Amino acid sequence: MPGGPSGGGRSGADNGSEAARDGRLAARLDRMVASWAARLKTADPARDLAEGERIGARLVVPGDPEWPTQLDDLGDSRPHALWLHGDADLRFSCLRSVAVVGSRAATPYGTHVAAELGAGLSERGWGVVSGGAYGIDGAAHRGALACEGPTVAVLACGADVAYPSAHQQLFAAIRERGVLVSECPMGAHPTRPRFLIRNRVIAALSRGTVVVEAAVRSGALNTAGHAIALNRHLAAMPGPVTSEFSAGCHRLIRQGRAICVTGPEEVIELAGTMGTDLAPEPRGPVLPRDRLDPETRKVVEAMPTRIGVGPATIAVAAGVDLETVLACLGGLAAAGYVERVSRGWRLRPDRPPGG
């Protein structure tokens, strides 16, 4: 029978649980609508615009010349408008930019790496996007400012609120050579949800995100998740394997979600133009011995360091003929590699480094 134990219909218990679930959803929606209605009563758009104009901030919306079109990748989560406070053009500053994020409780290693990364990106004409917080964020902003490059701070509060308060001078410097960005109206104070919400804007504004230092539960990993969801490049800086502050970075690399990078050149290669912004291959120092021809190098490597030996002994040890040894010894002596002693030839104690 339909609806029976062996039928295809739903039992009364299933219908009851579905009705209960629908009731809970309806109740939750009612509470949300009531909350929004209460907040709507306190909204005063004219006052917000006047206050923004008073401090020199501006409001941009989709379609404005300064609106970064890459924010459209957020879809339904795209901001409806952004408050900007600073002299730099937001859209232009983000055309070639990288987000640098990480722990607030950063180690000296992390702040050094973040500052060097911010400076290196700025020197190469790339903008730096971050969140203006303590630790990695602040170091990245300062590094970019030191090289007079554009830097963008996306805040979880109003553009007129200095949070953290110790960053008042940093925010003043960003307003002069960069721009402060916020979805919140003037006077809005930060909350934990606002920090998480603003992270999607950090990820969307830039071509890629670099996590410099992050613990396993760091908020920077939230930004990394947004970068992945947006199909943006994600990179992570490795740290000491014993440091809990880099455990989140190491996990991203191990899971294959982030590319391991060690400097601005590698970050630009990842986020830049394919085939153009290539990082140079790291090479060790060139030693004087590297400039010797293969035969002469064999002779040098066969030379003793303490006692002298004759050319014939050197030839056997080097695996070359006697004429080759005799031809090489004069040049090696003139270059300071070898010296003649009473019993033959040996390496000079003060020979060139690596010789």
Side-chain angles (χ1 to χ4, degrees):
M1 294 176 59
S6 60
R10 295 177 179 175
S11 67
D14 290 338
N15 290 331
S17 62
E18 184 175 341
R21 184 167 57 252
D22 291 343
R24 289 194 298 270
L25 290 174
R28 182 183 177 188
L29 181 59
D30 289 341
R31 290 194 299 270
M32 293 174 64
V33 171
S35 174
W36 293 334
R39 294 169 61 187
L40 184 60
K41 292 179 181 179
T42 64
D44 189 343
R47 180 193 61 196
D48 293 338
L49 288 170
E51 185 62 19
E53 184 178 358
R54 185 185 67 80
I55 68 167
R58 57 194 182 277
L59 185 71
V60 297
V61 298
D64 285 347
E66 197 175 356
W67 182 265
T69 55
Q70 61 266 38
L71 290 177
D72 297 343
D73 294 343
L74 289 169
D76 293 339
S77 298
R78 184 187 69 178
H80 297 291
L82 290 173
W83 288 99
L84 310 181
H85 193 191
D87 293 337
D89 183 281
L90 177 62
R91 183 175 180 275
F92 180 77
S93 299
C94 295
L95 286 177
R96 282 165 53 92
S97 67
V98 172
V100 181
V101 298
S103 174
R104 288 178 173 82
T107 66
Y109 162 82
T111 54
H112 172 78
V113 169
E116 289 291 318
L117 180 58
L121 290 169
S122 181
E123 285 178 340
R124 293 162 177 80
W126 283 71
V128 174
V129 181
S130 196
Y134 284 130
I136 300 303
D137 290 12
H141 288 307
R142 291 188 179 94
L145 291 170
C147 295
E148 299 185 357
T151 186
V152 177
V154 183
L155 307 179
C157 54
D160 61 333
V161 176
Y163 184 88
S165 58
H167 279 183
Q168 287 187 7
Q169 292 184 345
L170 174 61
F171 291 155
I174 292 176
R175 286 194 295 270
E176 289 181 4
R177 293 202 296 272
V179 61
L180 302 176
V181 180
S182 177
E183 291 182 77
C184 304
M186 301 299 112
H189 291 278
T191 62
R192 177 174 175 77
R194 284 175 178 167
F195 280 110
L196 296 176
I197 291 171
R198 68 89 190 262
N199 288 344
R200 80 194 197 287
V201 178
I202 294 176
L205 282 175
S206 53
R207 288 195 184 183
T209 295
V210 183
V211 185
V212 171
E213 194 174 50
V216 174
R217 290 180 58 86
S218 173
L221 300 183
N222 177 262
T223 308
H226 285 297
I228 294 172
L230 291 166
N231 291 320
R232 298 288 200 271
H233 298 289
L234 179 63
M237 285 275 191
V241 296
T242 55
S243 174
E244 62 178 316
F245 295 100
S246 292
C249 296
H250 297 159
R251 187 171 70 174
L252 287 173
I253 296 171
R254 184 172 181 270
Q255 293 174 341
R257 304 173 71 193
I259 300 297
C260 178
V261 294
T262 59
E265 299 90 352
E266 295 176 2
V267 174
I268 293 173
E269 180 181 271
L270 179 66
T273 303
M274 185 177 297
T276 301
D277 298 311
L278 297 177
E281 286 294 327
R283 298 181 182 275
V286 178
L287 301 176
R289 181 181 292 192
D290 297 332
R291 298 189 176 94
L292 300 177
D293 62 78
E295 297 291 342
T296 305
R297 192 178 303 122
K298 289 180 181 180
V299 172
V300 171
E301 292 170 350
M303 297 287 292
T305 58
R306 294 184 179 179
I307 62 172
V309 296
T313 303
I314 298 172
V316 172
V320 298
D321 57 71
L322 181 59
E323 293 183 1
T324 299
V325 173
L326 294 173
C328 293
L329 286 175
L332 289 172
Y337 284 91
V338 301
E339 62 181 359
R340 187 170 187 129
V341 294
S342 58
R343 298 183 59 181
W345 295 85
R346 70 175 184 182
L347 291 173
R348 289 186 57 167
D350 58 347
R351 60 188 176 276

Short mmCIF file of all heavy atoms in Angstrom, two decimals, residues 157-213:
data_model
loop_
_atom_site.label_atom_id
_atom_site.label_comp_id
_atom_site.label_asym_id
_atom_site.label_seq_id
_atom_site.Cartn_x
_atom_site.Cartn_y
_atom_site.Cartn_z
N CYS A 157 36.25 47.73 9.88
CA CYS A 157 35.58 48.82 10.61
C CYS A 157 35.44 49.98 9.64
O CYS A 157 35.80 49.88 8.47
CB CYS A 157 36.41 49.23 11.84
SG CYS A 157 38.12 49.66 11.46
N GLY A 158 34.90 51.09 10.13
CA GLY A 158 34.77 52.26 9.29
C GLY A 158 36.13 52.80 8.88
O GLY A 158 37.13 52.63 9.59
N ALA A 159 36.18 53.44 7.72
CA ALA A 159 37.45 53.97 7.22
C ALA A 159 38.00 55.09 8.10
O ALA A 159 39.16 55.48 7.95
CB ALA A 159 37.28 54.47 5.79
N ASP A 160 37.18 55.61 9.01
CA ASP A 160 37.63 56.66 9.92
C ASP A 160 38.03 56.12 11.28
O ASP A 160 38.41 56.88 12.17
CB ASP A 160 36.53 57.70 10.09
CG ASP A 160 35.25 57.10 10.70
OD1 ASP A 160 35.02 55.89 10.51
OD2 ASP A 160 34.50 57.85 11.34
N VAL A 161 37.96 54.81 11.47
CA VAL A 161 38.28 54.20 12.76
C VAL A 161 39.65 53.55 12.66
O VAL A 161 39.88 52.71 11.78
CB VAL A 161 37.23 53.14 13.15
CG1 VAL A 161 37.62 52.45 14.45
CG2 VAL A 161 35.86 53.80 13.28
N ALA A 162 40.55 53.93 13.56
CA ALA A 162 41.89 53.35 13.58
C ALA A 162 41.87 52.11 14.47
O ALA A 162 41.86 52.21 15.69
CB ALA A 162 42.90 54.36 14.10
N TYR A 163 41.82 50.93 13.83
CA TYR A 163 41.86 49.68 14.59
C TYR A 163 42.82 48.73 13.90
O TYR A 163 42.64 48.41 12.73
CB TYR A 163 40.48 49.03 14.68
CG TYR A 163 40.52 47.79 15.55
CD1 TYR A 163 40.32 47.88 16.93
CD2 TYR A 163 40.80 46.54 15.01
CE1 TYR A 163 40.37 46.75 17.73
CE2 TYR A 163 40.87 45.40 15.81
CZ TYR A 163 40.66 45.52 17.16
OH TYR A 163 40.73 44.41 17.97
N PRO A 164 43.87 48.35 14.64
CA PRO A 164 44.18 48.69 16.03
C PRO A 164 44.64 50.14 16.18
O PRO A 164 45.18 50.72 15.23
CB PRO A 164 45.30 47.72 16.38
CG PRO A 164 45.94 47.39 15.07
CD PRO A 164 44.85 47.40 14.06
N SER A 165 44.42 50.67 17.37
CA SER A 165 44.71 52.10 17.60
C SER A 165 46.20 52.41 17.45
O SER A 165 46.56 53.53 17.09
CB SER A 165 44.23 52.52 18.99
OG SER A 165 44.85 51.73 20.00
N ALA A 166 47.06 51.44 17.69
CA ALA A 166 48.49 51.67 17.56
C ALA A 166 48.91 51.87 16.10
O ALA A 166 50.05 52.26 15.83
CB ALA A 166 49.27 50.50 18.16
N HIS A 167 48.00 51.61 15.15
CA HIS A 167 48.31 51.75 13.73
C HIS A 167 47.82 53.09 13.16
O HIS A 167 47.68 53.21 11.94
CB HIS A 167 47.71 50.59 12.94
CG HIS A 167 48.54 49.35 12.99
ND1 HIS A 167 48.21 48.20 12.30
CD2 HIS A 167 49.69 49.08 13.64
CE1 HIS A 167 49.12 47.28 12.54
NE2 HIS A 167 50.03 47.78 13.35
N GLN A 168 47.58 54.06 14.00
CA GLN A 168 47.12 55.36 13.51
C GLN A 168 48.11 55.96 12.51
O GLN A 168 47.72 56.45 11.44
CB GLN A 168 46.88 56.31 14.67
CG GLN A 168 45.65 55.99 15.50
CD GLN A 168 45.35 57.06 16.53
OE1 GLN A 168 46.00 58.11 16.56
NE2 GLN A 168 44.38 56.81 17.39
N GLN A 169 49.40 55.93 12.86
CA GLN A 169 50.40 56.50 11.95
C GLN A 169 50.51 55.68 10.67
O GLN A 169 50.70 56.23 9.58
CB GLN A 169 51.75 56.59 12.64
CG GLN A 169 51.81 57.61 13.77
CD GLN A 169 53.20 57.74 14.37
OE1 GLN A 169 54.07 56.89 14.15
NE2 GLN A 169 53.41 58.80 15.14
N LEU A 170 50.40 54.36 10.79
CA LEU A 170 50.45 53.51 9.60
C LEU A 170 49.29 53.83 8.67
O LEU A 170 49.47 53.97 7.45
CB LEU A 170 50.41 52.05 10.01
CG LEU A 170 50.31 51.03 8.86
CD1 LEU A 170 51.51 51.14 7.93
CD2 LEU A 170 50.16 49.61 9.39
N PHE A 171 48.07 53.97 9.22
CA PHE A 171 46.91 54.28 8.39
C PHE A 171 47.05 55.66 7.75
O PHE A 171 46.61 55.87 6.61
CB PHE A 171 45.63 54.19 9.21
CG PHE A 171 45.28 52.79 9.64
CD1 PHE A 171 44.50 52.56 10.76
CD2 PHE A 171 45.73 51.70 8.93
CE1 PHE A 171 44.19 51.27 11.16
CE2 PHE A 171 45.43 50.40 9.31
CZ PHE A 171 44.66 50.19 10.43
N ALA A 172 47.65 56.60 8.48
CA ALA A 172 47.86 57.94 7.91
C ALA A 172 48.81 57.85 6.71
O ALA A 172 48.59 58.50 5.68
CB ALA A 172 48.43 58.87 8.96
N ALA A 173 49.85 57.02 6.83
CA ALA A 173 50.78 56.84 5.71
C ALA A 173 50.10 56.14 4.54
O ALA A 173 50.35 56.48 3.38
CB ALA A 173 52.00 56.05 6.17
N ILE A 174 49.24 55.18 4.83
CA ILE A 174 48.52 54.49 3.75
C ILE A 174 47.59 55.45 3.03
O ILE A 174 47.46 55.40 1.80
CB ILE A 174 47.75 53.28 4.31
CG1 ILE A 174 48.72 52.21 4.81
CG2 ILE A 174 46.83 52.68 3.24
CD1 ILE A 174 48.05 51.03 5.48
N ARG A 175 46.94 56.34 3.76
CA ARG A 175 46.05 57.32 3.11
C ARG A 175 46.83 58.24 2.16
O ARG A 175 46.30 58.68 1.15
CB ARG A 175 45.32 58.15 4.16
CG ARG A 175 44.20 57.41 4.88
CD ARG A 175 43.31 58.36 5.65
NE ARG A 175 44.03 59.02 6.74
CZ ARG A 175 44.12 58.55 7.98
NH1 ARG A 175 43.53 57.40 8.30
NH2 ARG A 175 44.77 59.22 8.91
N GLU A 176 48.09 58.51 2.49
CA GLU A 176 48.89 59.41 1.66
C GLU A 176 49.36 58.73 0.36
O GLU A 176 49.40 59.36 -0.69
CB GLU A 176 50.11 59.91 2.44
CG GLU A 176 49.76 60.89 3.55
CD GLU A 176 51.00 61.36 4.28
OE1 GLU A 176 52.12 60.98 3.87
OE2 GLU A 176 50.85 62.10 5.28
N ARG A 177 49.73 57.45 0.44
CA ARG A 177 50.28 56.78 -0.73
C ARG A 177 49.50 55.54 -1.14
O ARG A 177 49.90 54.84 -2.08
CB ARG A 177 51.75 56.41 -0.48
CG ARG A 177 52.65 57.62 -0.34
CD ARG A 177 54.09 57.26 -0.62
NE ARG A 177 54.64 56.32 0.34
CZ ARG A 177 55.22 56.68 1.50
NH1 ARG A 177 55.29 57.96 1.81
NH2 ARG A 177 55.71 55.77 2.32
N GLY A 178 48.42 55.27 -0.47
CA GLY A 178 47.59 54.12 -0.80
C GLY A 178 46.14 54.45 -0.54
O GLY A 178 45.70 55.59 -0.74
N VAL A 179 45.39 53.46 -0.06
CA VAL A 179 43.97 53.70 0.19
C VAL A 179 43.46 52.71 1.23
O VAL A 179 43.85 51.54 1.25
CB VAL A 179 43.16 53.60 -1.13
CG1 VAL A 179 43.27 52.22 -1.74
CG2 VAL A 179 41.70 53.97 -0.91
N LEU A 180 42.61 53.22 2.14
CA LEU A 180 41.89 52.39 3.10
C LEU A 180 40.54 52.02 2.50
O LEU A 180 39.88 52.88 1.90
CB LEU A 180 41.70 53.13 4.42
CG LEU A 180 42.97 53.63 5.14
CD1 LEU A 180 42.59 54.43 6.38
CD2 LEU A 180 43.87 52.46 5.50
N VAL A 181 40.13 50.78 2.66
CA VAL A 181 38.90 50.28 2.05
C VAL A 181 38.03 49.66 3.14
O VAL A 181 38.52 48.94 4.01
CB VAL A 181 39.21 49.22 0.98
CG1 VAL A 181 37.93 48.69 0.35
CG2 VAL A 181 40.14 49.79 -0.08
N SER A 182 36.72 49.94 3.07
CA SER A 182 35.80 49.32 4.03
C SER A 182 34.40 49.25 3.44
O SER A 182 33.98 50.12 2.68
CB SER A 182 35.76 50.14 5.33
OG SER A 182 34.82 49.59 6.23
N GLU A 183 33.70 48.17 3.81
CA GLU A 183 32.28 48.07 3.49
C GLU A 183 31.42 48.78 4.52
O GLU A 183 30.24 49.02 4.28
CB GLU A 183 31.86 46.60 3.43
CG GLU A 183 32.42 45.81 2.29
CD GLU A 183 31.91 44.39 2.30
OE1 GLU A 183 30.75 44.17 1.89
OE2 GLU A 183 32.67 43.49 2.71
N CYS A 184 32.00 49.06 5.68
CA CYS A 184 31.24 49.63 6.81
C CYS A 184 31.16 51.14 6.69
O CYS A 184 32.10 51.80 6.21
CB CYS A 184 31.90 49.25 8.13
SG CYS A 184 32.10 47.48 8.39
N PRO A 185 30.09 51.75 7.16
CA PRO A 185 29.99 53.20 7.16
C PRO A 185 30.92 53.82 8.20
O PRO A 185 31.51 53.12 9.03
CB PRO A 185 28.52 53.45 7.50
CG PRO A 185 28.12 52.25 8.29
CD PRO A 185 28.89 51.11 7.70
N MET A 186 31.01 55.12 8.18
CA MET A 186 31.85 55.83 9.13
C MET A 186 31.43 55.51 10.57
O MET A 186 30.25 55.40 10.87
CB MET A 186 31.76 57.35 8.92
CG MET A 186 32.16 57.81 7.53
SD MET A 186 33.86 57.43 7.09
CE MET A 186 33.60 56.21 5.80
N GLY A 187 32.41 55.34 11.43
CA GLY A 187 32.14 55.11 12.84
C GLY A 187 31.89 53.67 13.23
O GLY A 187 31.79 53.37 14.43
N ALA A 188 31.78 52.76 12.27
CA ALA A 188 31.51 51.36 12.59
C ALA A 188 32.75 50.73 13.22
O ALA A 188 33.87 50.93 12.75
CB ALA A 188 31.12 50.59 11.34
N HIS A 189 32.54 49.98 14.29
CA HIS A 189 33.65 49.34 14.99
C HIS A 189 33.76 47.87 14.57
O HIS A 189 32.78 47.25 14.17
CB HIS A 189 33.46 49.46 16.50
CG HIS A 189 33.61 50.87 17.00
ND1 HIS A 189 34.84 51.43 17.25
CD2 HIS A 189 32.69 51.84 17.25
CE1 HIS A 189 34.68 52.68 17.66
NE2 HIS A 189 33.38 52.96 17.67
N PRO A 190 34.95 47.30 14.67
CA PRO A 190 35.16 45.93 14.19
C PRO A 190 34.50 44.88 15.08
O PRO A 190 34.39 45.06 16.29
CB PRO A 190 36.68 45.77 14.21
CG PRO A 190 37.13 46.72 15.28
CD PRO A 190 36.19 47.89 15.21
N THR A 191 34.05 43.81 14.47
CA THR A 191 33.55 42.63 15.18
C THR A 191 34.19 41.41 14.53
O THR A 191 34.70 41.49 13.41
CB THR A 191 32.03 42.52 15.10
OG1 THR A 191 31.65 42.36 13.72
CG2 THR A 191 31.34 43.76 15.68
N ARG A 192 34.16 40.28 15.20
CA ARG A 192 34.76 39.08 14.63
C ARG A 192 34.13 38.71 13.28
O ARG A 192 34.86 38.42 12.32
CB ARG A 192 34.66 37.91 15.61
CG ARG A 192 35.20 36.62 15.05
CD ARG A 192 35.24 35.49 16.07
NE ARG A 192 35.64 34.25 15.47
CZ ARG A 192 36.88 33.92 15.16
NH1 ARG A 192 37.87 34.78 15.41
NH2 ARG A 192 37.17 32.75 14.62
N PRO A 193 32.79 38.73 13.15
CA PRO A 193 32.22 38.41 11.83
C PRO A 193 32.69 39.37 10.74
O PRO A 193 32.88 38.96 9.59
CB PRO A 193 30.71 38.51 12.06
CG PRO A 193 30.54 38.24 13.52
CD PRO A 193 31.73 38.86 14.17
N ARG A 194 32.90 40.64 11.07
CA ARG A 194 33.33 41.59 10.06
C ARG A 194 34.74 41.28 9.56
O ARG A 194 35.06 41.51 8.39
CB ARG A 194 33.26 43.02 10.61
CG ARG A 194 31.84 43.56 10.67
CD ARG A 194 31.77 44.92 11.32
NE ARG A 194 30.40 45.44 11.31
CZ ARG A 194 29.98 46.48 12.02
NH1 ARG A 194 30.83 47.12 12.82
NH2 ARG A 194 28.71 46.87 11.97
N PHE A 195 35.61 40.78 10.45
CA PHE A 195 36.94 40.38 10.01
C PHE A 195 36.86 39.25 9.00
O PHE A 195 37.55 39.25 7.98
CB PHE A 195 37.79 39.95 11.22
CG PHE A 195 38.38 41.10 11.99
CD1 PHE A 195 37.92 41.41 13.26
CD2 PHE A 195 39.39 41.88 11.44
CE1 PHE A 195 38.45 42.46 13.97
CE2 PHE A 195 39.93 42.95 12.15
CZ PHE A 195 39.46 43.24 13.42
N LEU A 196 36.03 38.27 9.28
CA LEU A 196 35.91 37.13 8.38
C LEU A 196 35.26 37.53 7.06
O LEU A 196 35.64 37.04 5.99
CB LEU A 196 35.09 36.02 9.06
CG LEU A 196 35.73 35.40 10.31
CD1 LEU A 196 34.78 34.39 10.95
CD2 LEU A 196 37.07 34.76 9.99
N ILE A 197 34.28 38.44 7.13
CA ILE A 197 33.59 38.88 5.92
C ILE A 197 34.52 39.68 5.02
O ILE A 197 34.51 39.54 3.79
CB ILE A 197 32.33 39.70 6.30
CG1 ILE A 197 31.27 38.79 6.92
CG2 ILE A 197 31.77 40.40 5.07
CD1 ILE A 197 30.10 39.54 7.51
N ARG A 198 35.36 40.53 5.63
CA ARG A 198 36.23 41.37 4.79
C ARG A 198 37.31 40.56 4.08
O ARG A 198 37.90 41.00 3.08
CB ARG A 198 36.85 42.49 5.63
CG ARG A 198 37.87 42.06 6.70
CD ARG A 198 39.27 42.01 6.18
NE ARG A 198 40.16 41.38 7.16
CZ ARG A 198 40.91 42.07 8.00
NH1 ARG A 198 40.88 43.38 8.02
NH2 ARG A 198 41.71 41.43 8.85
N ASN A 199 37.59 39.35 4.58
CA ASN A 199 38.66 38.54 3.97
C ASN A 199 38.36 38.19 2.52
O ASN A 199 39.28 38.05 1.71
CB ASN A 199 38.87 37.27 4.79
CG ASN A 199 39.55 37.54 6.12
OD1 ASN A 199 40.13 38.60 6.33
ND2 ASN A 199 39.47 36.58 7.02
N ARG A 200 37.09 38.06 2.17
CA ARG A 200 36.75 37.73 0.79
C ARG A 200 37.14 38.89 -0.14
O ARG A 200 37.51 38.67 -1.30
CB ARG A 200 35.26 37.42 0.68
CG ARG A 200 34.35 38.63 0.62
CD ARG A 200 32.90 38.30 0.85
NE ARG A 200 32.00 39.36 0.42
CZ ARG A 200 31.84 40.52 1.06
NH1 ARG A 200 32.53 40.77 2.16
NH2 ARG A 200 30.99 41.44 0.59
N VAL A 201 37.05 40.13 0.37
CA VAL A 201 37.41 41.30 -0.43
C VAL A 201 38.92 41.33 -0.65
O VAL A 201 39.40 41.64 -1.75
CB VAL A 201 36.92 42.60 0.25
CG1 VAL A 201 37.34 43.82 -0.56
CG2 VAL A 201 35.41 42.57 0.41
N ILE A 202 39.70 41.00 0.39
CA ILE A 202 41.16 40.95 0.25
C ILE A 202 41.54 39.96 -0.84
O ILE A 202 42.37 40.25 -1.71
CB ILE A 202 41.81 40.57 1.59
CG1 ILE A 202 41.58 41.66 2.64
CG2 ILE A 202 43.30 40.31 1.41
CD1 ILE A 202 42.12 41.32 4.01
N ALA A 203 40.94 38.78 -0.80
CA ALA A 203 41.27 37.75 -1.78
C ALA A 203 40.82 38.14 -3.18
O ALA A 203 41.52 37.86 -4.17
CB ALA A 203 40.64 36.42 -1.38
N ALA A 204 39.67 38.79 -3.30
CA ALA A 204 39.12 39.12 -4.62
C ALA A 204 39.84 40.29 -5.28
O ALA A 204 39.92 40.35 -6.51
CB ALA A 204 37.63 39.43 -4.50
N LEU A 205 40.36 41.22 -4.50
CA LEU A 205 41.00 42.40 -5.08
C LEU A 205 42.31 42.06 -5.77
O LEU A 205 42.71 42.74 -6.71
CB LEU A 205 41.27 43.45 -3.99
CG LEU A 205 40.09 44.29 -3.53
CD1 LEU A 205 40.50 45.19 -2.37
CD2 LEU A 205 39.54 45.15 -4.68
N SER A 206 43.00 41.03 -5.32
CA SER A 206 44.35 40.75 -5.78
C SER A 206 44.39 39.58 -6.75
O SER A 206 43.47 38.78 -6.83
CB SER A 206 45.25 40.46 -4.57
OG SER A 206 44.66 39.44 -3.78
N ARG A 207 45.51 39.47 -7.46
CA ARG A 207 45.69 38.35 -8.39
C ARG A 207 46.02 37.06 -7.67
O ARG A 207 45.82 35.97 -8.19
CB ARG A 207 46.83 38.67 -9.37
CG ARG A 207 46.49 39.74 -10.39
CD ARG A 207 47.54 39.69 -11.49
NE ARG A 207 47.35 40.74 -12.48
CZ ARG A 207 48.10 40.88 -13.56
NH1 ARG A 207 49.10 40.02 -13.75
NH2 ARG A 207 47.90 41.84 -14.42
N GLY A 208 46.57 37.18 -6.49
CA GLY A 208 46.92 36.01 -5.72
C GLY A 208 47.14 36.38 -4.27
O GLY A 208 47.28 37.55 -3.92
N THR A 209 47.14 35.37 -3.40
CA THR A 209 47.32 35.57 -1.97
C THR A 209 48.52 34.78 -1.49
O THR A 209 48.71 33.62 -1.87
CB THR A 209 46.06 35.11 -1.20
OG1 THR A 209 44.95 35.94 -1.56
CG2 THR A 209 46.26 35.20 0.31
N VAL A 210 49.32 35.41 -0.63
CA VAL A 210 50.46 34.75 -0.02
C VAL A 210 50.24 34.72 1.49
O VAL A 210 50.04 35.76 2.11
CB VAL A 210 51.78 35.49 -0.32
CG1 VAL A 210 52.97 34.73 0.29
CG2 VAL A 210 51.98 35.67 -1.80
N VAL A 211 50.26 33.52 2.06
CA VAL A 211 50.17 33.37 3.51
C VAL A 211 51.61 33.28 4.02
O VAL A 211 52.32 32.32 3.71
CB VAL A 211 49.38 32.12 3.91
CG1 VAL A 211 49.21 32.05 5.42
CG2 VAL A 211 48.01 32.12 3.23
N VAL A 212 52.03 34.27 4.79
CA VAL A 212 53.42 34.34 5.22
C VAL A 212 53.64 33.51 6.49
O VAL A 212 54.61 32.75 6.58
CB VAL A 212 53.86 35.80 5.45
CG1 VAL A 212 55.23 35.85 6.11
CG2 VAL A 212 53.87 36.55 4.12
N GLU A 213 52.78 33.65 7.45
CA GLU A 213 52.92 32.92 8.70
C GLU A 213 51.53 32.73 9.29
O GLU A 213 50.80 33.70 9.48
CB GLU A 213 53.82 33.70 9.67
CG GLU A 213 54.30 32.89 10.85
CD GLU A 213 55.30 33.67 11.69
OE1 GLU A 213 55.02 34.83 12.05
OE2 GLU A 213 56.38 33.12 11.99
#
